[in-house]
């Protein structure tokens, strides 16, 4: 690919100040992805990115971040790599004394994302009890730390990725249908 080809692909996105950096290519499929990123960078709706492992779902999420809010945080959590008992504390944070070993207050990733992007990698692997809690966060735009009473506003844009077929998981009652409709806006 020539430098001129790369520049033309970088400009795809209908007027956005989008630079693909790691996303390269000029196939019709890649051009369409870059256009979608450009269009989605203009809104704050939740985004669901699907694809096989290794296809660059996080690269797409990071490109969306760079094109929409590059001066804000990009906070990622892999829902399949953290044991369920720790995942809740990682997401929501916790108050001092909330559980054994909680010797100080800790902010979670939802709070750390501030007005940037909160990226949920492998959302299909999130335990169902946490799916219900995440649904509430998305509906109410607020949450509490584990062991806390104070509501904290969720200000970040939520971006999700999975290699799973969520429609099949819904049929098998392993993924919440109502959560699916909240995360698959775009």
């Amino acid at each position: 690919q020539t430098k001129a080809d790369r520049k033309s692909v970088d400009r795809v996105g209908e007027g956005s100040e989008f630079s693909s950096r790691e996303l390269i290519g000029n196939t019709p499929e890649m051009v369409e992805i870059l256009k979608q990123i450009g269009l989605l960078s203009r809104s704050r709706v939740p985004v669901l990115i699907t694809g096989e492992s290794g296809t660059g779902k996080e690269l797409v999420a990071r490109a969306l971040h760079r094109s929409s809010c590059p001066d804000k945080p990009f906070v990622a959590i892999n829902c399949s790599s953290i044991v369920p008992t720790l995942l809740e504390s990682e997401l929501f944070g916790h108050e001092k004394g909330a559980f054994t070993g909680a010797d100080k207050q800790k902010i979670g990733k939802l709070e750390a994302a501030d007005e940037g992007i909160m990226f949920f990698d492998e959302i299909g692997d999130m335990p169902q009890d946490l799916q219900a809690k995440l649904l509430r966060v998305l509906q109410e735009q607020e949450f509490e730390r584990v062991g806390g009473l104070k509501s904290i506003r969720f200000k970040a844009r939520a971006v999700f990725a999975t290699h799973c077929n969520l429609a099949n998981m819904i049929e098998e009652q392993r993924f919440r249908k109502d959560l699916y409709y909240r995360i698959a806006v775009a």
Side-chain angles (χ1 to χ4, degrees), residues 67-80:
S67 66
S68 61
C69 56
D71 57 331
K72 305 289 184 193
F74 179 93
V75 178
I77 190 162
N78 187 316
C79 300
S80 66

Side-chain angles (χ1 to χ4, degrees), residues 34-149:
L34 295 172
K35 281 182 184 178
Q36 288 296 315
I37 291 169
L39 291 171
L40 289 169
S41 70
R42 299 175 186 166
S43 75
R44 303 239 341 136
V45 298
V47 174
L48 175 62
I49 305 164
T50 60
E52 296 297 319
S53 294
T55 56
K57 296 180 295 292
E58 185 167 349
L59 290 176
V60 171
R62 288 185 182 277
L64 180 60
H65 173 254
R66 280 192 307 275
S67 66
S68 61
C69 56
D71 57 331
K72 305 289 184 193
F74 179 93
V75 178
I77 190 162
N78 187 316
C79 300
S80 66
S81 68
I82 301 174
V83 294
T85 52
L86 293 178
L87 186 57
E88 183 176 15
S89 179
E90 284 294 309
L91 280 173
F92 297 97
H94 61 259
E95 297 292 340
K96 180 179 179 178
F99 51 84
T100 305
D103 56 350
K104 62 182 177 181
Q105 182 187 68
K106 177 184 179 242
I107 70 164
K109 293 188 180 284
L110 295 175
E111 191 173 350
D114 193 35
E115 294 178 356
I117 287 185
M118 180 67 222
F119 177 60
F120 298 84
D121 197 10
E122 297 306 345
I123 189 67
D125 294 333
M126 180 177 272
Q128 283 196 320
D129 62 325
L130 282 179
Q131 290 177 29
K133 291 177 182 182
L134 178 59
L135 176 63
R136 179 162 165 54
V137 170
L138 297 174
Q139 288 174 333
E140 305 301 324
Q141 295 294 293
E142 64 182 25
F143 62 94
E144 292 107 28
R145 292 187 191 112
V146 175
L149 300 174

